[in-house]
Amino acid sequence: IVGAGPAGLSCAFFLAKKGYKPTVFEKNARPGGMLVYGIPSYKLEKDVVDAEIEVLRQMGVDIRCGVEVGRDVTLDELRAQGYKAFYLSIGCQGGRMAGIPGEDAEGVTTAVEFLHRVSEDETTPVRGRAVVIGGGNVAIDCLEQENQMPASPEEIAEARQEGAVIHCGWGPSRILQENGKVTGVEFKRCVSVTDANGRFAPVYDENDTMTVP
């Protein structure tokens, strides 16, 4: 099994129940995938995930971390070792930028990259003002009006309790930078999010802008 995220671990569990002794290869230092590297501890304690994974080990699952299939070992090499079948569960962990000017500035990152970095080292320093762009559970600052936000009401309430200020109906226009470092974000008013067919196709008022340092 290539990848020790939710899909790979689920595959290992059901194979082990049937009497197989699968081997799981994981490129990161810890198994769990986005359960470990994408969800903060205050949402999902790491020891809870570790306990579930320990059950898999006791069922006979061999989990090998720090091994990237395709770089450290190839499928052909694994076939030569006697492996007969492969389950590829390499995840869908890529972040996506907004496609606006200034995204190359120091201090701009995707949520997935940021969460992975903090999950690896929770002492990672985070200083100063932060602007979060997006309206899902990961982000909570949004293009949509609040009743259209994909984030759950509980997530929105928790964000406000933590002191987050939510600005609805704004989309990023450009990242402002000075000497290569981000200094702020310019937003433009979003007048509609979807087209007549309900597809995501935001329309903006380019003259109604605000800048957040």
Side-chain angles (χ1 to χ4, degrees), residues 41-118:
S41 294
Y42 76 94
K43 290 287 185 185
L44 178 61
E45 288 289 350
K46 300 298 182 276
D47 56 2
V48 172
V49 180
D50 291 342
E52 294 286 330
I53 292 171
E54 182 57 31
V55 171
L56 296 180
R57 289 195 169 103
Q58 291 176 11
M59 294 172 69
V61 177
D62 180 10
I63 302 175
R64 303 180 188 178
C65 292
V67 181
E68 184 172 352
V69 174
R71 188 186 68 180
D72 301 319
V73 64
T74 67
L75 294 183
D76 285 341
E77 289 170 341
L78 291 172
R79 287 190 182 96
Q81 294 175 28
Y83 290 99
K84 302 295 186 186
F86 298 91
Y87 181 77
L88 304 181
S89 51
I90 57 176
C92 185
Q93 302 179 8
R96 189 177 68 178
M97 290 292 193
I100 57 175
E103 290 179 337
D104 58 341
E106 181 183 337
V108 179
T109 183
T110 65
V112 170
E113 180 186 340
F114 173 74
L115 289 170
H116 193 290
R117 190 165 66 241
V118 173

Side-chain angles (χ1 to χ4, degrees), residues 9 23 28 58 78 80-81 94 101 125 128 131 145 149 171 180 184 188 203:
L9 295 178
T23 303
N28 288 308
Q58 291 176 11
L78 291 172
Q81 294 175 28
V131 173
Q145 297 303 318
M149 284 175 70
K188 51 189 175 181
V203 176

